[in-house]
Amino acid sequence: MFRNYFKTAWRNLLKNKAYSGINVFGLAAGMAVALLIGLWVYYQYSYDKFLPDHHRLYRVQRNFNSNGDTLTFQTSSLRLADELKKGFPDIEAVAESDWMGWHGLMVGETKIYQNGGITGADFLLMFGFPLLKGNAATVLKDPYSIVLSQSTAKALFGDADPMNKMVRIDNQHDLKVTGILKDLPSNSNFNFKYIIPFAYKEAISPRGRLDHENFNNNSHQIFVKLKPGATYEQLAPKIRKITHIENSPNAQRSYVTLQALDRWHLYSKYVNGKDTEGFLEYVRIFTWIGVLVLLIACINFVNLTTARSEKRAKEVGVRKAIGSERKQLIIQFLAESFLLIMVAFCISLIGVQLVLPAFNTLTGTKMSIPYGSPVFWGMMLALVVITTLVAGSRPAFYLSAFQPVKVLKGSLGKGRSQSPFRRVLVVVQFSCSVALIISTIVIYRQINYAKDRPSGYDLARVVEMDMNTDLKRNFAAFKNEAIQQGLAASVSSASSPSTNVYWHADVDEWQGKRADETIEMGIIVTTPDYFNTLGMQLKEGRSFKHENDSVSVLLNEAAVAAMRLKDPVNQQINWQGGEYIVAGVVKDALMISPFTSADPTMFLIDNKPGSSAMLRIPAGVSTSDAISGLTTLFNKYSPAFPFTYKFADETYAAKFKLEMLIGKLAAIFAALAIFISCLGLFGLAAYIAEQRTKEIGIRKVLGASVSQLILLLTKDFLLLVMVSCVIASPLALYFLQSWLSKYSYRIDIGVMVFIWAALIAMIIALVVISFQAIKAAMMNPVKSLKSE
């Protein structure tokens, strides 16, 4: 019986090639979008799930009470790590860490620059990172040991066995390779290429031991692993006030919390000390987009199938007359839908495989279709079955309900009873499509609005380098020679790069301070040419005179506003036991985020170079010539390190990466939604034109013009699109206002956005419908009426 159902379904599919093709490719496009978004969503949810005990791993965080506002910090003190190692039976292991950034590794003549970290001895064991060589329990026991990733070992040693061989770090110390770590997947919160034991940091410290005495030096990340069966809810009240054993303002205002590893990637936004959302917002948005695009494709199927119902009416009437039950007809029509949807699924699978490399490049992911996973095929079967039920149920129940007496007498209407239902579905389709068009326009407007916002400094032609030990030692000579050779107009260094602020600290004492008031302020330690190099403008007062101007500080406008200083120049500030005089005020620069206000920031001077070097290429020198000359100069003063650099303006532009990605994805999926909607509209228009062929012929004979006939065939469809625009606009406005609310610097959604979206939808729909309308209107009436 089922064989006959599928045989009949295949014949009907071949009999109506045009409409079957529209249905198949519409559904294939919808299923491809759903599958692609599904893979992307799974990729985001699977961050660090490769770790065996990911559900028991946590990061220690601090909630800090700053004048009534709760600020959350992911760095903690070594004393806190020591306290957590004592007397908490729910905790199985604790590991401190310091993510040291990019450092030079050298083996013989091979020099590479890699990102790594310093961690406690139990780090690899408690996280369960896969080691290809070495024992996780012992690889970090020796202070002068190093664990390399698989790719780093390959870069340094080639095909030779690296175990127990020496690697020189920062041209200072030789470390023995004690383990090889399997390269981490791209969907991991960790991206280190090597690990060094925390004991190494203490071994090379001038004091011999780092600060374990107080809770104020919050410059490390602490990780804990709970014992099996233990929960954070049990542990939370026990650790909340650990820091209160110390009588200092910072310790008394801090509360210890933990964030589960499973939440790091998706829950990065904190409100009042709680991780509420973050990237999860975008995951949910695109999940809904995938569902909507698939729904649009299903609506195409329903509309085209029910619109052509009278073509199958006699077949249904005859089958019922000879004894077929309605449930048999329902099964047959569902079987037809299932077959068609299976064909669409196979096409969608091929399509996803073809576009996946480009999609990975666009999104910066490394996704693949897991053909070998039974779970994947189970989910795909569920997708096909659900799509069959959503798309096939209405046609199956509608067609099987025909009464044989009316059908065989020829008294069945020409689908008029279904016309309102089809109109509702068309409105739903285009409402979704128009909402996506509006969203795409608003996202791109917000991105461009932020890009056009004055950044407060000039990063064009600014080159930045991470400082290394050799360059620090020879920085003065490097600077002078770069300027003398015409490779740089100015050279400076700082404790943070130009597009970030690495260090924040509390400022507790200034004139006009209220009781119990403190300000969390960005701290940047610079050299005298810093503001000139970055093109930052002085608003009032003076800049630093020289490298020994150590009692002077400069504030940005945000810091002056936060401290409520009316005449900031020459005001005194007490900070970390020292007294400083405000020498000047610089205009705000958007160092952290172009979408928010500038952070309050204080600039200090130091005669020692910081962790970042920056220089401005002179206006008359080509960038390529400058880089070539700087490479030679760098190798002269820092021969043990490879010359790596970044252009500051490119780093700043990368801050728009997430929003640009969201904008591109929204544009792509909006275009696909419109395409699928228009595919259905094209088929529906073709069917309506075919249904009204004789009517059009009669109207032409009676004198109707081509333009009148085109208007006759298009006006109903255009009216539906207009209704869709009216419905989509307030819905899109509601969700987009919610999305924009997270940006302090944002656009106002004007009425023109909705007008442009409506015009785009109307023009696209008109082009699609007009093809069939013009074709029908231009037909010779003799051909359409010759059978009468």
Side-chain angles (χ1 to χ4, degrees):
M1 182 173 65
F2 285 101
R3 181 184 176 186
N4 290 332
Y5 288 157
F6 283 107
K7 187 182 292 184
T8 304
W10 184 251
R11 287 172 181 167
N12 282 318
L13 191 149
L14 296 178
K15 182 180 177 181
N16 303 289
K17 293 185 179 66
Y19 289 97
S20 296
I22 291 174
N23 264 337
V24 166
F25 284 104
L27 280 169
M31 295 179 82
V33 170
L35 177 55
L36 202 58
I37 291 178
L39 288 172
W40 183 78
V41 169
Y42 175 76
Y43 181 89
Q44 305 303 330
Y45 272 103
S46 63
Y47 260 64
D48 288 319
K49 296 298 191 296
F50 69 96
L51 298 174
D53 294 323
H54 59 86
H55 57 286
R56 293 199 284 136
L57 294 165
Y58 293 79
R59 175 172 56 204
V60 179
Q61 300 185 153
R62 292 179 300 117
N63 284 340
F64 180 76
N65 183 357
S66 177
N67 307 320
D69 294 328
T70 301
L71 306 178
T72 300
F73 297 95
Q74 296 170 351
T75 54
S76 306
S77 62
L78 292 178
R79 182 178 179 185
L80 178 56
D82 294 341
E83 293 295 329
L84 289 171
K85 292 176 183 179
K86 304 175 185 175
F88 290 100
D90 294 329
I91 297 177
E92 179 178 299
V94 178
E96 56 274 87
S97 68
D98 182 2
W99 302 106
M100 51 195 298
W102 295 79
H103 286 257
L105 303 178
M106 184 169 62
V107 174
E109 297 299 317
T110 303
K111 300 177 291 183
I112 62 174
Y113 223 50
Q114 289 287 24
N115 180 42
I118 295 179
T119 69
D122 292 333
F123 176 78
L124 292 175
L125 185 64
M126 63 186 278
F127 273 86
F129 289 109
L131 280 172
L132 300 177
K133 294 183 178 181
N135 186 337
T138 59
V139 288
L140 296 177
K141 294 296 184 184
D142 182 357
Y144 289 90
S145 62
I146 185 171
V147 176
L148 302 176
S149 71
Q150 190 177 1
S151 57
T152 303
K154 179 76 173 177
L156 288 171
F157 295 96
D159 295 328
D161 184 3
M163 291 296 288
N164 297 316
K165 294 181 179 177
M166 307 305 289
V167 174
R168 191 163 183 82
I169 184 168
D170 288 342
N171 200 27
Q172 286 185 306
H173 303 102
D174 292 321
L175 307 178
K176 184 169 71 174
V177 179
T178 55
I180 304 298
L181 182 72
K182 184 178 179 181
D183 284 339
L184 302 180
S186 57
N187 55 339
S188 174
N189 288 288
F190 296 96
N191 64 347
F192 54 82
K193 299 299 183 181
Y194 63 88
I195 290 291
I196 297 172
F198 207 84
Y200 166 79
K201 187 174 183 179
E202 299 203 305
I204 65 172
S205 172
R207 292 178 296 176
R209 179 172 166 82
L210 300 176
D211 184 5
H212 290 254
E213 305 305 320
N214 64 74
F215 292 108
N216 292 327
N217 187 4
N218 296 297
S219 57
H220 301 85
Q221 278 196 338
I222 312 297
F223 305 106
V224 301
K225 182 178 184 179
L226 301 188
K227 289 183 178 178
T231 65
Y232 172 55
E233 288 72 21
Q234 296 172 341
L235 181 63
K238 303 174 185 176
I239 65 172
R240 175 176 167 79
K241 296 184 178 181
I242 289 181
T243 61
H244 291 193
I245 61 177
E246 179 180 297
N247 189 25
S248 69
N250 186 288
Q252 290 294 316
R253 292 176 181 176
S254 295
Y255 297 89
V256 179
T257 65
L258 304 181
Q259 187 190 29
L261 172 63
D262 290 345
R263 297 175 68 89
W264 291 3
H265 177 59
L266 296 178
Y267 295 86
S268 56
K269 179 181 177 182
Y270 291 84
V271 177
N272 293 324
K274 295 182 179 179
D275 55 348
T276 54
E277 278 192 2
F279 195 70
L280 179 66
E281 178 185 8
Y282 294 110
V283 173
R284 286 174 176 167
I285 287 172
F286 283 102
T287 299
W288 277 110
I289 289 176
V291 171
L292 290 177
V293 173
L294 183 59
L295 179 63
I296 289 170
C298 291
I299 288 174
N300 274 357
F301 184 90
V302 173
N303 270 346
L304 291 177
T305 306
T306 55
R308 295 181 59 80
S309 57
E310 67 274 8
K311 299 287 186 181
R312 306 287 301 275
K314 285 189 173 62
E315 175 192 342
V316 173
V318 171
R319 285 180 178 272
K320 281 195 169 185
I322 62 176
S324 289
E325 297 180 1
R326 188 184 180 192
K327 67 178 181 180
Q328 292 175 315
L329 292 171
I330 291 173
I331 293 173
Q332 178 192 328
F333 291 128
L334 284 174
E336 289 184 19
S337 299
F338 181 78
L339 178 63
L340 191 144
I341 289 167
M342 277 299 297
V343 173
F345 170 71
C346 293
I347 294 173
S348 72
L349 202 60
I350 294 170
V352 169
Q353 185 63 60
L354 292 175
V355 304
L356 199 54
F359 189 78
N360 279 333
T361 301
L362 175 66
T363 58
T365 56
K366 294 181 180 179
M367 299 185 299
S368 61
I369 300 176
Y371 292 110
S373 170
V375 175
F376 169 76
W377 289 112
M379 293 178 68
M380 292 304 98
L381 179 60
L383 174 65
V384 170
V385 170
I386 291 171
T387 306
T388 300
L389 294 175
V390 172
S393 294
R394 177 66 189 182
F397 282 94
Y398 172 66
L399 292 170
S400 64
F402 287 160
Q403 297 180 20
V405 175
K406 290 184 178 181
V407 170
L408 298 177
K409 285 174 66 176
S411 58
L412 184 72
K414 297 292 185 181
R416 297 285 181 185
S417 62
Q418 279 295 302
S419 183
F421 182 72
R422 284 200 300 273
R423 288 175 180 173
V424 169
L425 293 182
V426 170
V427 168
V428 171
Q429 270 189 317
F430 271 88
S431 295
C432 296
S433 300
V434 171
L436 288 174
I437 292 174
I438 294 170
S439 301
T440 302
I441 294 173
V442 170
I443 289 171
Y444 273 102
R445 280 191 61 203
Q446 172 64 17
I447 293 170
N448 291 330
Y449 185 66
K451 280 185 173 180
D452 294 338
R453 179 186 184 185
S455 64
Y457 50 3
D458 179 16
L459 298 182
R461 303 178 68 81
V462 173
V463 178
E464 290 193 309
M465 302 167 286
D466 287 327
M467 195 76 75
N468 60 60
T469 51
D470 289 353
L471 191 60
K472 279 186 177 182
R473 186 168 53 251
N474 301 310
F475 185 70
F478 174 84
K479 171 185 174 179
N480 293 333
E481 195 165 340
I483 294 174
Q484 290 170 5
Q485 293 183 15
L487 301 174
S490 61
V491 182
S492 183
S493 80
S495 58
S496 299
S498 62
T499 54
N500 210 338
V501 179
Y502 286 164
W503 183 15
H504 285 77
D506 299 328
V507 176
D508 297 316
E509 297 293 335
W510 68 91
Q511 189 173 354
K513 171 185 174 294
R514 296 168 183 162
D516 296 326
E517 184 180 15
T518 185
I519 295 176
E520 185 78 19
M521 193 174 294
I523 306 295
I524 297 180
V525 182
T526 72
T527 53
D529 291 328
Y530 178 81
F531 303 109
N532 185 39
T533 303
L534 298 186
M536 295 178 68
Q537 298 179 10
L538 192 68
K539 183 180 180 181
E540 57 181 300
R542 63 170 178 83
S543 184
F544 296 114
K545 293 179 179 179
H546 45 72
E547 291 179 347
N548 295 317
D549 193 4
S550 56
V551 297
S552 299
V553 297
L554 272 74
L555 302 177
N556 68 351
E557 293 172 303
V560 172
M563 301 170 82
R564 303 178 307 282
L565 299 176
K566 294 182 179 180
D567 297 306
V569 177
N570 295 323
Q571 294 276 2
Q572 180 175 310
I573 294 176
N574 295 336
W575 178 67
Q576 293 194 350
E579 295 182 356
Y580 300 89
I581 302 298
V582 178
V585 178
V586 294
K587 291 186 177 181
D588 287 339
L590 305 177
M591 293 182 168
I592 297 179
S593 171
F595 298 102
T596 61
S597 303
D599 272 19
T601 307
M602 182 167 66
F603 301 89
L604 298 90
I605 197 75
D606 194 354
N607 57 8
K608 296 179 181 178
S611 59
S612 294
M614 51 208 72
L615 58 88
R616 178 175 292 278
I617 298 174
V621 179
S622 71
T623 303
S624 57
D625 290 344
I627 294 299
S628 177
L630 288 170
T631 302
T632 302
L633 191 61
F634 181 90
N635 290 333
K636 174 182 177 180
Y637 289 108
S638 185
F641 296 83
F643 179 54
T644 59
Y645 62 91
K646 295 178 182 177
F647 289 104
D649 55 351
E650 293 180 357
T651 305
Y652 184 82
K655 292 178 180 290
F656 299 93
K657 182 179 179 181
L658 175 59
E659 282 70 21
M660 287 294 294
L661 171 62
I662 299 305
K664 288 177 181 178
L665 291 178
I668 291 169
F669 294 135
L672 285 171
I674 284 288
F675 169 75
I676 296 169
S677 297
C678 289
L679 203 60
L681 200 61
F682 179 85
L684 209 54
Y687 170 71
I688 296 298
E690 177 187 340
Q691 191 182 45
R692 303 178 71 174
T693 299
K694 289 183 174 60
E695 177 192 344
I696 293 168
I698 293 171
R699 287 180 180 273
K700 287 195 75 172
V701 170
L702 294 176
S705 65
V706 172
S707 59
Q708 288 173 324
L709 293 173
I710 292 173
L711 180 62
L712 175 72
L713 292 170
T714 58
K715 65 179 181 180
D716 288 343
F717 288 111
L718 292 180
L719 180 62
L720 295 179
V721 176
M722 289 176 65
V723 172
S724 299
C725 295
V726 172
I727 293 173
S729 295
L731 292 175
L733 178 63
Y734 173 78
F735 288 105
L736 286 169
Q737 282 182 331
S738 175
W739 177 72
L740 286 171
S741 65
K742 68 178 183 177
Y743 300 110
S744 58
Y745 189 80
R746 57 182 179 266
I747 61 169
D748 292 322
I749 305 177
V751 69
M752 288 305 299
V753 171
F754 305 102
I755 293 175
W756 277 112
L759 285 174
I760 291 170
M762 294 285 287
I763 291 170
I764 293 172
L766 184 61
V767 170
V768 172
I769 299 165
S770 294
F771 179 82
Q772 291 294 346
I774 293 171
K775 180 181 176 183
M778 297 294 288
M779 184 181 292
N780 190 339
V782 175
K783 291 183 179 180
S784 60
L785 297 175
K786 66 181 179 180
S787 62
E788 294 297 326

